[in-house]
Amino acid sequence: MEQLQRTPLSDVHRSMNALMAPFGGWDMPIQYEGIIAEHRACREGAALFDICHMGEFIFQGDLVADGLEDIFTFSVVTIPVGRSRYGFLLNDAGGIVDDLIIFRLADDTVMIVVNAATAPKDFAVIRERLKGGILTDITADTGKLDLQGPLSREVMTRFFGPAIGELPYFKFITTTILGVPATVSRTGYTGELGYEIFLPADKVSELWQLLLSDSRVKPAGLGARDLLRLEVGYSLYGNDLSEEITPLEAGLESFVNFGKNFVGKDALLRQKEAGPSRVKVAFKVNSRRSPRHDYTIRSCGADAGIVTSGAFSPMLGCGIGLGFVTPELAQVGTPLTVCHDKVAMECSVCTLPFYSGGSLRS
Amino acid sequence: MDLYFSKEHEWVKISGTTATVGISDHAAHELGDITFVELPAVGKTVKQFETVAAIESVKAASDIYSPLSGKVTSINETLENAPEVVNESAEEAGWICTIEIADPTEVKNLMSKAEYDEYLKSL
C-alpha cells in the first residue's frame, strides 16, 4: 500500500488521542472526544479542523488567453479580486473530475483549492488544458485550518483583529498571521459561520495551538465534518459526486454557467435536452436508523437506486441521506425504502438543506 | 449476582432465573456514539448466540446476540429515545433487555469478567 501522507499535525492528533484513519491518501483524524460532541461544538460554539490534506494550486498568467477561463463550469475572469467561487472541473462526457473553489488573488493570479484524493489527477487535467501561464502545486508547502461555528468570528477577531470580522460570505483577505502571509476566507463545509485559513505549512502547529488556547474552540475530526456537511446537503466528492455523475444529475446546475465555454459543455447540453435518467434525491428516515453509502433504495418493491451518503442527524433526530433515483421518484414526499441485509427503513423524499438553522450567513 | 461475557462483547447478569443483557463497555467504546437501538419484542424467544437486538452508531450497524437462550421479559425503553445511555453506562443503565433463562448450563459457553479482560487483550 502506498505510504500515507501526513499533515504537519499528524503527531499532534495522536498526542490528543485522536482516532486516525486514511482519507484521500492522507493520515487524518476522524474524531477526538466523539463525533456527536464535535458536531455539537461546531453547531453551538467553534470547532477547529485540520484540513491540510486538501490540494492547492496557484495559476499565474492571462486567465483568458492562457485558457483557464474555458476549463471550469464557472467564469474565473469575472470573480472579483478578493472573492472566491465554487464549481466543477468536468471530463468530456460531463462527469465531475472534481468540485473545487477558485480564489481570485490578483488580476493574473488565482488559487485553486481541490479535494485531497483527486489533487494529482486535477493538476494533470488542468495543466493539459492550459495553453500558457504557470500552474504550481503548493499543497505540500500550504497548511489549511478551518475554524467553523457561531463563535468563530469572535475567536478570529480576538486573535487577528477586527478586519476579519467584517468579511462577508465567500470573500477573503490576505493578511499576516503569526508573522507570515496568510489567506483567511469566509467559507466552509459545515453550514455555520466560519473561516478557512491558508498559511505556510510550518506555521500550522503554532496556529492550531493558538486557536485551541481559546476555551471556546474544540478540535473536530473528519467524522463530525462529514455529518455537518450532510445536514446542510453539501455533496462529498467520492460519495455523491464522481466522474460518472454530471452536475445536472447531482442537482448542482446552479454552479454551471452555460453562457461560457467549458470542457463537458456539449455533453451537459445534450443531457439537459434529453433530461437526466437519474437525479440526486434527499430523504429523511422515519426513525433513528442511519442509511449508509451503497445501501439500496427501493420503491414499490423494486430496486430504484443507491444511497451515496447517509447518517443519523443530531439536529433532526432522524436518519438522513442522499442518493440517486429516476426523476419521477425524486418528487418531494415520495415514499422510498432503504434496504440493507435484513433491515428496511421507510423514508420520505425531502428538500435540501435538511438543517437550515445554521449561522452560515450571520 | 453472576456476571458473564460473550466473545461478541455482550454481558449477562444472572439473578435467579432472570438474565439482564447488554453490550460491554469495550463494545460501546468501539462503536462510538450510539444513535439507535432496535429492541426485541417482549415475549420473543431466542436461542443462545442468536440475534436478539440491533444497534447503530455513527460508524456502523451491528447485531446484538443473546448470551443465553430464553424468553424476553422486559426491554429498556429508555434507549428508544436516548440510545446514548449505552455509551454513558453500557454495563449498568444501558442494559438492553431481560430474559427468562431457559437453560442455566449454557453459561459454560461464556467467559467470566477476568477471562473477558484477558480475551480483550488478545484482540
Side-chain angles (χ1 to χ4, degrees), chain A residues 8 140-144 177 180-183 198-205 207:
Chain A
D141 302 322
T142 306
K144 178 174 182 286
I177 283 181
V180 295
T183 299
F198 300 86
L199 79 173
D202 59 7
K203 285 287 183 181
V204 165
S205 287
L207 181 60

Side-chain angles (χ1 to χ4, degrees), chain B residues 1-6 9-13 23-27 90-92 107 110-121:
Chain B
M1 190 175 289
D2 293 327
L3 176 64
Y4 297 93
F5 289 83
S6 71
H9 308 285
E10 291 87 14
W11 57 261
V12 56
K13 277 179 196 159
I23 68 166
S24 71
D25 285 329
H26 169 83
E91 297 185 14
E92 297 286 346
V107 298
L110 301 171
M111 292 176 275
S112 68
K113 171 78 175 152
E115 287 167 337
Y116 179 65
D117 288 343
E118 279 302 308
Y119 171 69
L120 290 182
K121 283 182 206 162

Side-chain angles (χ1 to χ4, degrees), chain A residues 205-219:
Chain A
S205 287
E206 199 179 330
L207 181 60
W208 177 264
Q209 303 299 348
L210 178 69
L211 290 169
L212 284 182
S213 71
D214 189 311
S215 62
R216 295 170 293 186
V217 179
K218 304 285 181 226

Side-chain angles (χ1 to χ4, degrees), chain A residues 35-103:
Chain A
I35 290 171
I36 303 274
E38 292 160 31
H39 164 278
R40 189 182 308 122
C42 187
R43 290 270 181 254
E44 297 177 359
L48 183 63
F49 301 83
D50 175 6
I51 307 298
C52 291
H53 60 307
M54 286 187 76
E56 296 92 7
F57 313 143
I58 297 286
F59 171 82
Q60 196 159 27
D62 185 315
L63 305 188
V64 176
D66 292 333
L68 194 78
E69 177 67 2
D70 295 334
I71 294 179
F72 308 99
T73 60
F74 55 102
S75 170
V76 179
V77 77
T78 59
I79 307 172
V81 173
R83 288 195 180 265
S84 56
R85 197 169 281 170
Y86 171 85
F88 305 102
L89 177 67
L90 303 182
N91 58 31
D92 287 328
I96 300 170
V97 176
D98 203 3
D99 65 330
L100 46 82
I101 295 182
I102 293 187
F103 293 74

Side-chain angles (χ1 to χ4, degrees), chain A residues 91-122:
Chain A
N91 58 31
D92 287 328
I96 300 170
V97 176
D98 203 3
D99 65 330
L100 46 82
I101 295 182
I102 293 187
F103 293 74
R104 187 82 184 267
L105 302 181
D107 281 345
D108 65 346
T109 312
V110 302
M111 177 167 69
I112 306 167
V113 179
V114 302
N115 284 296
T118 47
K121 175 183 75 172
D122 296 343

Side-chain angles (χ1 to χ4, degrees), chain B residues 15-97:
Chain B
S15 176
T17 58
T18 300
T20 305
V21 173
I23 68 166
S24 71
D25 285 329
H26 169 83
H29 181 76
E30 288 295 305
L31 283 166
D33 292 313
I34 289 161
T35 52
F36 175 74
V37 180
E38 182 184 35
L39 297 164
V42 172
K44 177 188 169 114
T45 306
V46 287
K47 291 221 170 76
Q48 189 177 35
F49 303 138
E50 278 186 358
T51 302
V52 64
I55 197 158
E56 294 191 11
S57 76
V58 289
K59 288 187 211 153
S62 335
D63 284 336
I64 299 172
Y65 304 100
S66 183
L68 294 171
S69 303
K71 190 163 86 177
V72 176
T73 49
S74 69
I75 55 175
N76 186 358
E77 290 174 359
T78 307
L79 303 183
E80 285 176 0
N81 291 312
E84 63 273 14
V85 171
V86 178
N87 288 114
E88 292 156 8
S89 176
E91 297 185 14
E92 297 286 346
W95 62 279
I96 306 287
C97 63

